[in-house]
Amino acid sequence: ADWAGRRVVFLSSVGITFLFGLLGAFAPTFELFVASRFIVGMGIGGNLAVDFALFMEFVPLHMRQQVMMMLTMWGVGGVAIIAIAAWALIESAGWRWYIGVLAVPSLVLLVMRLGMPESPSLLYESGRVEEALESIKLIAKKNHFELPEGFSLKPKEDARDEFEGLQGTAVVMKSLELKVRRSLVPLSPENFFTTVKFAIAWFSLSFAYGGFTLWLPSLLTDKGIVGSDIYTTYLIMVLGEIPSVCLSTFLVYKGVQKRYIFCAYMLGCAGSMGLTALVTNEYLIRVVLAISYFFMVSSWACLYVLTPEAYPATCRGTASGVLRIAGSIANSIKGKVGAKLLAGGMYVPLWTYGAVFLVGMLVAPLLPDYTNKRVVERVDQSNEDEEDIQL
């Protein structure tokens, strides 16, 4: 994304998700179905790694924190659609219709985001000043913001120095070298420990949340919740996520740092694992599961917003992708580890996931939190005065 452009990668990943999501509904064999879902997973992984980094630049700074947190509400809506579609289609029309219908939102998203401009910060830092200016103008127009008369951007001094005296192939090679250097920024000495801390947080949340979700059907069956009641239970769980996102957004609006909100919610996740293990009543378990997802959804919201903010604009996409890999590693092992844990007893996985949530809680206060603090770009105006435009 930091090489080819975040807009291109985002739209491509959404297109892949839609195409192979739809093809999965027509898969003639189980192997082809698994292959299609694997590619869908690649598309979603690329999408999530880029979207928050790209979206944050299109929101005015004074409301960026709240909007980024509220963005998670669309994920809650997506889970609700999954539960409703499963309840309405799987038993009556079959799983193929279910898979096909779930591909449609990706097509809607693709069409809606076709007019999205490229990241102005990425363009500017890449030396593409005129393109960055056009992107800023489009963003200002969509936000109903009038730029100062004669607004322009100064060419980056370091960018001009880098390319001074170069021609032809040398310019291409120098551009490639700069892209490689930007891609390695998340692993540079000044960012290495930040990346390690975020990797631990991503791994902890991905493993515990993913493992819990994978283990959940076994719990529901053990509690006597089967058939269409499962979909009703999932819908109840989603309802617990709505006040969670609203509360976390309110706390950010009031100035509470997201790392501390993340820490509190991870502690809540750990506590809800123990509560789930202790409850035996079929109806109370639904309430407890709603509480569990109350804490989990805002944990994800905080982590998704904290991650791109911690890195320079030119490598946010790369950093988000690298940290998504840490989460993907956790997701790839959760099945085998969960099976071994389940062999030790029905509730052994729960206590394990609770402990992993606690690991994430311990690292949370150590994460950088740049609430309302962003890099500013220097600009020229016709009257030769300088003004800071925050991107």
Side-chain angles (χ1 to χ4, degrees):
D2 294 330
W3 283 39
R6 291 174 193 150
R7 177 181 182 274
V8 173
V9 172
F10 176 82
L11 293 177
S12 299
S13 65
V14 174
I16 288 171
T17 302
F18 164 70
L19 178 61
F20 286 91
L22 188 62
L23 289 176
F26 298 95
T29 65
F30 177 73
E31 289 75 15
L32 287 176
F33 173 74
V34 171
S36 71
R37 300 312 297 176
F38 176 82
I39 299 175
V40 167
M42 291 177 59
I44 293 174
N47 177 290
L48 293 176
V50 175
D51 194 26
F52 275 81
L54 182 58
F55 181 79
M56 67 183 296
E57 296 191 35
F58 300 152
V59 182
L61 185 62
H62 70 277
M63 58 187 296
R64 181 177 294 170
Q65 307 295 320
Q66 303 92 284
V67 171
M68 293 292 288
M69 293 296 291
M70 285 300 293
L71 186 62
T72 314
M73 189 68 78
W74 291 97
V76 176
V79 175
I81 291 174
I82 290 173
I84 294 171
W87 173 78
L89 295 173
I90 290 182
E91 293 187 2
S92 59
W95 66 269
R96 291 185 185 276
W97 276 99
Y98 172 68
I99 295 296
V101 167
L102 292 188
V104 174
S106 295
L107 177 61
V108 175
L109 176 61
L110 180 63
V111 173
M112 290 179 63
R113 298 284 283 268
L114 283 175
M116 172 184 61
E118 181 55 270
S119 159
S121 294
L122 181 65
L123 292 171
Y124 183 78
E125 294 293 338
S126 301
R128 298 156 65 182
V129 179
E130 291 301 321
E131 293 177 67
L133 181 59
E134 291 303 314
S135 183
I136 290 174
K137 289 179 179 178
L138 181 56
I139 294 171
K141 181 179 178 181
K142 289 183 178 295
N143 280 285
H144 305 289
F145 176 79
E146 186 175 346
L147 292 170
E149 185 177 350
F151 175 85
S152 64
L153 294 175
K154 285 183 178 180
K156 285 179 63 64
E157 295 294 333
D158 56 345
R160 289 187 291 188
D161 294 341
E162 292 276 6
F163 290 93
E164 187 175 357
L166 300 181
Q167 294 181 347
T169 306
V171 174
V172 177
M173 296 305 295
K174 174 57 70 172
S175 178
L176 180 62
E177 177 191 334
L178 291 175
K179 288 180 177 180
V180 171
R181 270 196 271 165
R182 285 198 299 268
S183 298
L184 294 176
V185 168
L187 299 177
S188 63
E190 60 268 28
N191 290 311
F192 179 76
F193 288 108
T194 294
T195 302
V196 169
K197 288 181 285 188
F198 270 112
I200 294 172
W202 275 90
F203 185 93
S204 301
L205 185 53
S206 298
F207 180 82
Y209 170 81
F212 176 71
T213 303
L214 192 65
W215 170 85
L216 197 53
S218 298
L219 171 70
L220 296 179
T221 301
D222 183 65
K223 301 295 184 183
I225 302 174
V226 295
S228 60
D229 287 345
I230 292 179
Y231 310 131
T232 305
T233 301
Y234 274 102
L235 194 55
I236 293 172
M237 289 157 48
V238 171
L239 294 178
E241 297 180 355
I242 296 174
S244 172
V245 176
C246 294
L247 175 60
S248 56
T249 302
F250 175 76
L251 291 174
V252 170
Y253 173 74
K254 287 298 185 180
V256 181
Q257 291 194 359
K258 293 181 292 297
R259 57 182 171 183
Y260 297 127
I261 300 173
F262 179 52
C263 179
Y265 275 107
M266 289 293 275
L267 178 60
C269 290
S272 68
M273 295 298 99
L275 194 59
T276 303
L278 296 174
V279 171
T280 57
N281 183 277
E282 175 186 337
Y283 299 100
L284 280 180
I285 193 63
R286 291 186 171 98
V287 176
V288 171
L289 290 175
I291 293 172
S292 299
Y293 278 81
F294 172 93
F295 290 113
M296 290 179 192
V297 68
S298 283
S299 296
W300 278 116
C302 291
L303 193 54
Y304 270 117
V305 177
L306 281 167
T307 300
E309 285 186 333
Y311 296 91
T314 49
C315 70
R316 285 176 189 151
T318 299
S320 297
V322 168
L323 294 166
R324 282 285 301 174
I325 291 173
S328 297
I329 292 173
N331 284 324
S332 67
I333 65 173
K334 69 186 180 188
K336 289 187 177 180
V337 174
K340 291 184 179 296
L341 292 172
L342 197 57
M346 174 60 69
Y347 297 103
V348 172
L350 269 181
W351 298 112
T352 304
Y353 299 142
V356 176
F357 276 126
L358 287 176
V359 172
M361 180 207 72
L362 292 174
V363 78
L366 306 177
L367 299 175
D369 191 328
Y370 296 96
T371 301
N372 294 327
K373 181 181 179 183
R374 271 294 99 215
V375 177
V376 296
E377 305 283 348
R378 305 296 291 180
V379 302
D380 264 338
Q381 296 189 58
S382 57
N383 61 1
E384 300 301 324
D385 291 332
E386 291 184 333
E387 179 177 325
D388 285 339
I389 300 295
Q390 298 166 312
L391 296 179

Coordinates of all heavy atoms in Angstrom, one line a residue, residues 266-349:
M266 N -9.6 -4.9 27.8 CA -8.9 -6.2 27.8 C -9.1 -6.9 29.1 O -9.2 -8.1 29.2 CB -7.4 -6.0 27.4 CG -7.2 -5.7 26.0 SD -7.6 -7.0 24.8 CE -6.1 -8.0 24.8
L267 N -9.0 -6.1 30.2 CA -9.3 -6.7 31.5 C -10.7 -7.2 31.6 O -11.0 -8.3 32.1 CB -9.1 -5.6 32.6 CG -9.4 -6.0 34.0 CD1 -8.5 -7.2 34.4 CD2 -9.2 -4.8 35.0
G268 N -11.7 -6.4 31.0 CA -13.0 -6.9 31.0 C -13.2 -8.2 30.2 O -14.0 -9.1 30.5
C269 N -12.4 -8.3 29.1 CA -12.5 -9.6 28.3 C -12.0 -10.7 29.1 O -12.6 -11.8 29.1 CB -11.5 -9.4 27.0 SG -12.1 -8.3 25.8
A270 N -10.9 -10.5 29.9 CA -10.4 -11.6 30.7 C -11.4 -12.0 31.8 O -11.7 -13.2 32.0 CB -9.1 -11.2 31.3
G271 N -12.0 -11.0 32.4 CA -13.0 -11.3 33.4 C -14.3 -12.0 32.9 O -14.8 -12.9 33.5
S272 N -14.7 -11.6 31.7 CA -15.9 -12.3 31.1 C -15.6 -13.7 30.7 O -16.6 -14.5 30.7 CB -16.3 -11.5 29.8 OG -15.3 -11.6 28.8
M273 N -14.3 -14.1 30.5 CA -14.0 -15.5 30.2 C -14.3 -16.3 31.5 O -14.9 -17.4 31.4 CB -12.6 -15.7 29.8 CG -12.1 -15.0 28.5 SD -13.0 -15.7 27.0 CE -14.2 -14.4 26.8
G274 N -13.9 -15.8 32.6 CA -14.2 -16.5 33.9 C -15.7 -16.6 34.1 O -16.2 -17.6 34.6
L275 N -16.4 -15.5 33.9 CA -17.8 -15.5 34.1 C -18.5 -16.5 33.2 O -19.5 -17.1 33.6 CB -18.3 -14.0 33.8 CG -19.7 -13.7 34.3 CD1 -19.8 -13.9 35.8 CD2 -20.1 -12.3 33.9
T276 N -18.1 -16.6 32.0 CA -18.7 -17.5 31.0 C -18.5 -19.0 31.5 O -19.4 -19.8 31.4 CB -18.1 -17.4 29.6 OG1 -18.2 -16.1 29.2 CG2 -18.7 -18.3 28.6
A277 N -17.4 -19.2 32.1 CA -17.1 -20.6 32.6 C -18.0 -20.9 33.8 O -18.3 -22.1 34.0 CB -15.6 -20.7 33.0
L278 N -18.4 -19.9 34.6 CA -19.1 -20.2 35.8 C -20.6 -20.3 35.6 O -21.3 -20.9 36.4 CB -18.8 -19.1 36.8 CG -17.4 -19.0 37.3 CD1 -17.2 -17.8 38.2 CD2 -17.0 -20.3 38.1
V279 N -21.2 -19.6 34.6 CA -22.6 -19.6 34.4 C -23.1 -20.9 33.8 O -22.5 -21.4 32.8 CB -23.0 -18.4 33.5 CG1 -24.5 -18.5 33.1 CG2 -22.7 -17.1 34.2
T280 N -24.2 -21.4 34.3 CA -24.7 -22.7 33.8 C -26.1 -22.5 33.1 O -26.5 -23.3 32.3 CB -24.8 -23.7 34.9 OG1 -25.6 -23.2 36.0 CG2 -23.4 -24.0 35.4
N281 N -26.8 -21.5 33.5 CA -28.2 -21.3 33.0 C -28.2 -20.9 31.5 O -27.4 -20.0 31.1 CB -28.9 -20.2 33.8 CG -30.3 -19.9 33.4 OD1 -30.6 -19.2 32.4 ND2 -31.2 -20.6 34.1
E282 N -29.1 -21.5 30.7 CA -29.1 -21.3 29.3 C -29.4 -19.8 28.9 O -28.9 -19.3 27.9 CB -30.2 -22.2 28.7 CG -30.4 -22.0 27.2 CD -31.6 -22.8 26.7 OE1 -32.0 -23.8 27.3 OE2 -32.2 -22.4 25.6
Y283 N -30.2 -19.1 29.7 CA -30.6 -17.8 29.4 C -29.5 -16.8 29.9 O -29.2 -15.8 29.2 CB -31.9 -17.4 30.0 CG -33.0 -18.3 29.4 CD1 -33.5 -19.4 30.1 CD2 -33.6 -18.0 28.2 CE1 -34.5 -20.2 29.6 CE2 -34.6 -18.9 27.6 CZ -35.0 -20.0 28.3 OH -36.0 -20.8 27.8
L284 N -29.0 -17.1 31.0 CA -27.9 -16.2 31.6 C -26.7 -16.3 30.7 O -25.9 -15.3 30.6 CB -27.5 -16.6 33.0 CG -28.5 -16.1 34.1 CD1 -28.0 -16.6 35.5 CD2 -28.6 -14.6 34.1
I285 N -26.4 -17.4 30.0 CA -25.2 -17.5 29.2 C -25.3 -16.5 28.0 O -24.3 -16.0 27.6 CB -25.0 -19.0 28.7 CG1 -23.6 -19.1 28.1 CG2 -26.0 -19.3 27.7 CD1 -22.5 -18.9 29.1
R286 N -26.5 -16.3 27.5 CA -26.6 -15.3 26.5 C -26.3 -13.9 26.9 O -25.6 -13.1 26.2 CB -28.1 -15.3 25.9 CG -28.4 -16.6 25.2 CD -29.8 -16.5 24.6 NE -30.2 -17.6 23.7 CZ -30.9 -18.6 24.0 NH1 -31.3 -18.7 25.2 NH2 -31.1 -19.6 23.1
V287 N -26.7 -13.6 28.1 CA -26.3 -12.3 28.7 C -24.8 -12.1 28.9 O -24.2 -11.1 28.6 CB -27.1 -12.1 30.1 CG1 -26.6 -10.7 30.7 CG2 -28.6 -12.1 29.9
V288 N -24.2 -13.2 29.4 CA -22.8 -13.2 29.7 C -22.0 -13.1 28.3 O -21.0 -12.3 28.3 CB -22.3 -14.5 30.4 CG1 -20.8 -14.6 30.5 CG2 -22.9 -14.4 31.8
L289 N -22.5 -13.8 27.3 CA -21.8 -13.7 26.0 C -21.9 -12.2 25.4 O -21.0 -11.7 24.8 CB -22.4 -14.7 25.0 CG -22.1 -16.1 25.3 CD1 -22.8 -17.1 24.4 CD2 -20.6 -16.4 25.2
A290 N -23.1 -11.6 25.7 CA -23.2 -10.2 25.2 C -22.3 -9.3 25.9 O -21.7 -8.4 25.4 CB -24.7 -9.7 25.5
I291 N -22.0 -9.6 27.2 CA -21.1 -8.8 28.0 C -19.6 -9.1 27.5 O -18.9 -8.1 27.4 CB -21.1 -9.2 29.5 CG1 -22.5 -8.8 30.1 CG2 -20.0 -8.6 30.3 CD1 -22.7 -9.3 31.5
S292 N -19.4 -10.3 27.1 CA -18.0 -10.6 26.6 C -17.8 -9.8 25.3 O -16.7 -9.2 25.1 CB -17.9 -12.1 26.3 OG -18.1 -12.9 27.4
Y293 N -18.7 -9.8 24.4 CA -18.5 -9.1 23.2 C -18.6 -7.6 23.4 O -18.1 -6.8 22.5 CB -19.5 -9.6 22.1 CG -19.1 -10.9 21.5 CD1 -19.2 -12.1 22.1 CD2 -18.4 -10.8 20.2 CE1 -18.8 -13.2 21.5 CE2 -17.9 -12.0 19.6 CZ -18.1 -13.2 20.3 OH -17.6 -14.3 19.7
F294 N -19.3 -7.1 24.4 CA -19.2 -5.7 24.8 C -17.8 -5.3 25.0 O -17.4 -4.2 24.5 CB -20.0 -5.5 26.1 CG -19.9 -4.1 26.7 CD1 -20.8 -3.2 26.4 CD2 -18.8 -3.8 27.6 CE1 -20.7 -1.9 26.9 CE2 -18.7 -2.6 28.1 CZ -19.6 -1.6 27.8
F295 N -17.0 -6.1 25.6 CA -15.6 -5.7 25.9 C -14.7 -6.0 24.6 O -13.8 -5.2 24.4 CB -15.0 -6.5 27.1 CG -15.6 -6.1 28.4 CD1 -16.4 -7.0 29.1 CD2 -15.3 -4.9 28.9 CE1 -16.9 -6.6 30.3 CE2 -15.9 -4.5 30.1 CZ -16.7 -5.4 30.9
M296 N -15.0 -7.0 23.9 CA -14.1 -7.4 22.8 C -14.2 -6.4 21.6 O -13.2 -6.0 21.1 CB -14.5 -8.8 22.3 CG -14.2 -9.9 23.2 SD -14.7 -11.5 22.5 CE -14.5 -12.6 24.0
V297 N -15.4 -5.9 21.3 CA -15.5 -5.1 20.1 C -14.8 -3.8 20.3 O -14.1 -3.3 19.4 CB -17.0 -4.8 19.7 CG1 -17.7 -4.0 20.8 CG2 -17.1 -4.2 18.4
S298 N -14.8 -3.2 21.5 CA -14.1 -1.9 21.7 C -12.6 -2.1 21.9 O -11.8 -1.2 21.6 CB -14.7 -1.2 22.9 OG -15.9 -0.5 22.6
S299 N -12.2 -3.3 22.3 CA -10.8 -3.6 22.3 C -10.2 -3.6 20.9 O -9.2 -3.0 20.6 CB -10.5 -5.0 22.9 OG -10.9 -5.1 24.2
W300 N -11.0 -4.2 19.9 CA -10.6 -4.1 18.5 C -10.6 -2.7 18.0 O -9.7 -2.2 17.3 CB -11.5 -4.9 17.7 CG -11.2 -6.4 17.7 CD1 -12.0 -7.4 18.1 CD2 -10.0 -7.0 17.1 NE1 -11.3 -8.6 17.9 CE2 -10.1 -8.4 17.3 CE3 -8.9 -6.5 16.6 CZ2 -9.1 -9.3 17.0 CZ3 -7.9 -7.4 16.2 CH2 -8.0 -8.8 16.4
A301 N -11.6 -1.9 18.4 CA -11.7 -0.5 17.9 C -10.5 0.3 18.4 O -9.9 1.0 17.5 CB -13.0 0.1 18.5
C302 N -10.1 0.2 19.6 CA -9.0 0.9 20.1 C -7.7 0.5 19.4 O -6.9 1.4 19.0 CB -8.8 0.7 21.6 SG -10.1 1.4 22.6
L303 N -7.5 -0.8 19.2 CA -6.3 -1.3 18.6 C -6.2 -0.8 17.1 O -5.1 -0.4 16.6 CB -6.2 -2.8 18.7 CG -4.9 -3.4 18.3 CD1 -3.8 -2.8 19.2 CD2 -4.9 -4.9 18.5
Y304 N -7.3 -0.9 16.4 CA -7.3 -0.4 15.0 C -7.0 1.1 14.9 O -6.4 1.5 13.9 CB -8.7 -0.7 14.4 CG -8.8 -2.1 13.7 CD1 -9.7 -3.1 14.2 CD2 -7.9 -2.5 12.7 CE1 -9.7 -4.3 13.6 CE2 -8.0 -3.7 12.1 CZ -8.9 -4.6 12.6 OH -9.0 -5.9 12.0
V305 N -7.5 1.9 15.8 CA -7.2 3.3 15.7 C -5.8 3.6 16.2 O -5.1 4.5 15.7 CB -8.3 4.1 16.5 CG1 -8.0 5.6 16.5 CG2 -9.7 3.8 15.9
L306 N -5.4 3.0 17.3 CA -4.0 3.3 17.8 C -2.9 2.9 16.9 O -1.9 3.7 16.8 CB -3.8 2.4 19.1 CG -4.5 3.0 20.4 CD1 -4.4 1.9 21.5 CD2 -3.7 4.2 20.9
T307 N -3.1 1.9 16.1 CA -2.0 1.4 15.3 C -1.5 2.4 14.2 O -0.3 2.7 14.2 CB -2.4 0.0 14.6 OG1 -2.7 -0.9 15.7 CG2 -1.2 -0.5 13.8
P308 N -2.4 2.8 13.3 CA -1.9 3.8 12.3 C -1.4 5.1 12.8 O -0.5 5.7 12.3 CB -3.1 3.9 11.3 CG -4.3 3.6 12.2 CD -3.8 2.6 13.1
E309 N -1.9 5.5 14.0 CA -1.5 6.8 14.5 C -0.1 6.8 15.0 O 0.5 7.8 15.1 CB -2.4 7.1 15.7 CG -3.8 7.6 15.4 CD -4.6 8.1 16.6 OE1 -4.3 7.6 17.7 OE2 -5.5 9.0 16.4
A310 N 0.4 5.6 15.3 CA 1.7 5.5 16.0 C 2.9 5.6 14.9 O 4.1 5.6 15.3 CB 1.9 4.2 16.7
Y311 N 2.6 5.6 13.7 CA 3.6 5.6 12.6 C 3.5 6.8 11.7 O 2.4 7.4 11.5 CB 3.5 4.3 11.8 CG 3.8 3.1 12.7 CD1 2.8 2.4 13.3 CD2 5.1 2.6 12.8 CE1 3.0 1.3 14.1 CE2 5.3 1.5 13.6 CZ 4.3 0.9 14.2 OH 4.5 -0.3 15.0
P312 N 4.6 7.2 11.0 CA 4.5 8.3 10.0 C 3.5 8.0 8.9 O 3.3 6.8 8.6 CB 5.9 8.4 9.5 CG 6.8 7.8 10.6 CD 5.9 6.7 11.2
A313 N 3.0 9.0 8.3 CA 2.0 8.8 7.2 C 2.5 7.9 6.1 O 1.7 7.2 5.5 CB 1.6 10.2 6.7
T314 N 3.8 8.0 5.8 CA 4.3 7.3 4.6 C 4.4 5.8 4.9 O 4.6 5.0 3.9 CB 5.7 7.8 4.3 OG1 6.5 7.8 5.5 CG2 5.7 9.2 3.7
C315 N 4.3 5.3 6.1 CA 4.4 3.8 6.3 C 3.3 3.3 7.1 O 3.4 2.2 7.7 CB 5.8 3.5 7.0 SG 5.9 4.0 8.7
R316 N 2.2 4.0 7.3 CA 1.1 3.5 8.1 C 0.5 2.2 7.5 O 0.2 1.3 8.2 CB 0.0 4.6 8.1 CG 0.2 5.7 9.0 CD -0.9 6.8 8.9 NE -0.5 8.0 9.6 CZ -1.0 9.2 9.3 NH1 -1.8 9.3 8.3 NH2 -0.6 10.2 10.0
G317 N 0.4 2.2 6.2 CA -0.1 1.0 5.5 C 0.8 -0.2 5.8 O 0.3 -1.3 6.1
T318 N 2.1 0.0 5.6 CA 3.0 -1.1 5.9 C 3.0 -1.6 7.3 O 3.0 -2.8 7.6 CB 4.5 -0.7 5.5 OG1 4.5 -0.3 4.1 CG2 5.5 -1.8 5.8
A319 N 3.0 -0.6 8.2 CA 3.0 -0.9 9.7 C 1.7 -1.7 10.0 O 1.7 -2.7 10.7 CB 3.1 0.3 10.5
S320 N 0.6 -1.2 9.5 CA -0.7 -1.9 9.8 C -0.7 -3.4 9.2 O -1.2 -4.3 9.8 CB -1.9 -1.2 9.2 OG -2.0 0.1 9.8
G321 N -0.1 -3.5 8.0 CA 0.0 -4.8 7.4 C 0.9 -5.8 8.2 O 0.6 -6.9 8.4
V322 N 2.1 -5.3 8.7 CA 3.0 -6.1 9.4 C 2.3 -6.6 10.7 O 2.4 -7.7 11.1 CB 4.3 -5.3 9.8 CG1 5.1 -6.0 10.8 CG2 5.1 -5.1 8.5
L323 N 1.6 -5.7 11.4 CA 0.9 -6.0 12.6 C -0.3 -7.0 12.4 O -0.6 -7.8 13.2 CB 0.5 -4.8 13.4 CG 1.8 -4.0 13.8 CD1 1.4 -2.6 14.3 CD2 2.5 -4.7 15.0
R324 N -0.9 -6.8 11.2 CA -2.0 -7.8 10.9 C -1.4 -9.2 10.7 O -2.1 -10.2 11.0 CB -2.6 -7.3 9.6 CG -3.6 -6.2 9.7 CD -4.9 -6.7 10.3 NE -5.6 -7.7 9.6 CZ -6.7 -8.3 10.0 NH1 -7.2 -8.0 11.2 NH2 -7.2 -9.3 9.3
I325 N -0.1 -9.3 10.3 CA 0.5 -10.6 10.2 C 0.6 -11.2 11.5 O 0.4 -12.4 11.7 CB 1.9 -10.4 9.5 CG1 1.8 -10.0 8.0 CG2 2.7 -11.7 9.6 CD1 3.1 -9.7 7.4
A326 N 0.9 -10.4 12.5 CA 1.0 -11.0 13.9 C -0.4 -11.6 14.3 O -0.5 -12.6 14.9 CB 1.4 -9.9 14.9
G327 N -1.4 -10.8 13.9 CA -2.8 -11.3 14.2 C -3.1 -12.6 13.4 O -3.8 -13.5 13.9
S328 N -2.6 -12.6 12.1 CA -2.9 -13.8 11.3 C -2.2 -15.0 11.8 O -2.7 -16.1 11.7 CB -2.4 -13.4 9.8 OG -3.2 -12.4 9.3
I329 N -1.0 -14.8 12.3 CA -0.2 -16.0 12.9 C -1.1 -16.5 14.1 O -1.2 -17.8 14.2 CB 1.2 -15.5 13.4 CG1 2.0 -15.2 12.2 CG2 1.8 -16.7 14.2 CD1 3.4 -14.6 12.5
A330 N -1.6 -15.7 14.9 CA -2.4 -16.1 16.0 C -3.7 -16.8 15.5 O -4.0 -17.9 16.0 CB -2.9 -14.9 16.9
N331 N -4.3 -16.3 14.4 CA -5.5 -17.0 13.9 C -5.1 -18.3 13.3 O -6.0 -19.2 13.3 CB -6.1 -16.1 12.8 CG -6.9 -14.9 13.5 OD1 -7.5 -15.1 14.5 ND2 -6.8 -13.8 12.9
S332 N -3.9 -18.5 12.7 CA -3.6 -19.7 12.1 C -3.3 -20.8 13.1 O -3.4 -22.0 12.7 CB -2.3 -19.5 11.2 OG -1.2 -19.2 12.0
I333 N -3.0 -20.5 14.3 CA -2.7 -21.6 15.3 C -3.8 -21.8 16.3 O -3.8 -22.7 17.1 CB -1.4 -21.3 16.1 CG1 -1.5 -20.0 16.9 CG2 -0.2 -21.1 15.1 CD1 -0.3 -19.7 17.8
K334 N -4.8 -20.9 16.3 CA -5.8 -21.0 17.3 C -6.6 -22.3 17.2 O -7.0 -22.8 18.3 CB -6.8 -19.8 17.2 CG -7.7 -19.8 15.9 CD -8.5 -18.6 15.7 CE -9.3 -18.7 14.4 NZ -10.0 -17.4 14.1
G335 N -6.8 -22.8 16.0 CA -7.6 -24.0 15.8 C -6.9 -25.2 16.5 O -7.5 -25.9 17.3
K336 N -5.6 -25.4 16.1 CA -4.9 -26.6 16.7 C -4.7 -26.4 18.2 O -4.9 -27.4 18.9 CB -3.6 -26.7 16.0 CG -3.7 -27.2 14.5 CD -2.3 -27.5 13.9 CE -2.5 -28.0 12.5 NZ -1.2 -28.3 11.9
V337 N -4.4 -25.2 18.6 CA -4.2 -25.0 20.1 C -5.5 -25.2 20.8 O -5.5 -25.9 21.9 CB -3.6 -23.6 20.3 CG1 -3.5 -23.4 21.8 CG2 -2.2 -23.5 19.7
G338 N -6.6 -24.7 20.2 CA -7.9 -24.8 20.9 C -8.3 -26.3 21.0 O -8.9 -26.6 22.0
A339 N -8.0 -27.1 19.9 CA -8.4 -28.5 20.0 C -7.7 -29.2 21.1 O -8.2 -30.0 21.8 CB -8.1 -29.1 18.7
K340 N -6.4 -28.9 21.3 CA -5.6 -29.5 22.4 C -6.1 -29.1 23.7 O -6.2 -29.9 24.7 CB -4.1 -29.2 22.2 CG -3.5 -29.8 21.0 CD -2.0 -29.5 20.9 CE -1.3 -30.2 19.7 NZ -1.4 -31.7 19.8
L341 N -6.5 -27.8 23.8 CA -7.0 -27.3 25.1 C -8.3 -27.9 25.4 O -8.6 -28.3 26.6 CB -7.1 -25.8 25.0 CG -5.9 -24.9 24.9 CD1 -6.2 -23.5 24.7 CD2 -5.0 -25.1 26.2
L342 N -9.2 -28.1 24.4 CA -10.5 -28.7 24.6 C -10.4 -30.1 25.1 O -11.3 -30.6 25.8 CB -11.3 -28.6 23.3 CG -12.8 -28.8 23.4 CD1 -13.4 -27.8 24.4 CD2 -13.4 -28.6 22.0
A343 N -9.3 -30.8 24.6 CA -9.1 -32.2 25.1 C -8.9 -32.3 26.6 O -9.1 -33.3 27.2 CB -7.9 -32.8 24.3
G344 N -8.4 -31.2 27.2 CA -8.2 -31.2 28.6 C -9.4 -30.9 29.4 O -9.4 -30.9 30.7
G345 N -10.5 -30.5 28.7 CA -11.8 -30.2 29.4 C -12.5 -29.0 28.7 O -11.9 -28.2 28.1
M346 N -13.8 -29.0 28.9 CA -14.6 -28.0 28.2 C -14.2 -26.6 28.5 O -14.3 -25.7 27.6 CB -16.1 -28.2 28.6 CG -17.1 -27.2 28.0 SD -17.1 -27.1 26.2 CE -17.9 -28.7 25.8
Y347 N -13.8 -26.3 29.7 CA -13.6 -24.9 30.1 C -12.1 -24.6 30.2 O -11.7 -23.4 30.5 CB -14.3 -24.6 31.4 CG -15.8 -24.8 31.3 CD1 -16.4 -25.9 31.8 CD2 -16.5 -23.8 30.6 CE1 -17.8 -26.0 31.6 CE2 -17.9 -23.9 30.4 CZ -18.5 -25.1 30.9 OH -19.9 -25.2 30.8
V348 N -11.2 -25.5 29.8 CA -9.8 -25.2 29.8 C -9.5 -24.1 28.8 O -8.7 -23.1 29.1 CB -8.9 -26.4 29.5 CG1 -7.5 -26.1 29.3 CG2 -9.1 -27.4 30.6
P349 N -10.1 -24.1 27.6 CA -9.8 -23.0 26.6 C -10.2 -21.6 27.2 O -9.5 -20.7 27.0 CB -10.7 -23.4 25.4 CG -10.9 -24.8 25.5 CD -10.9 -25.1 27.0

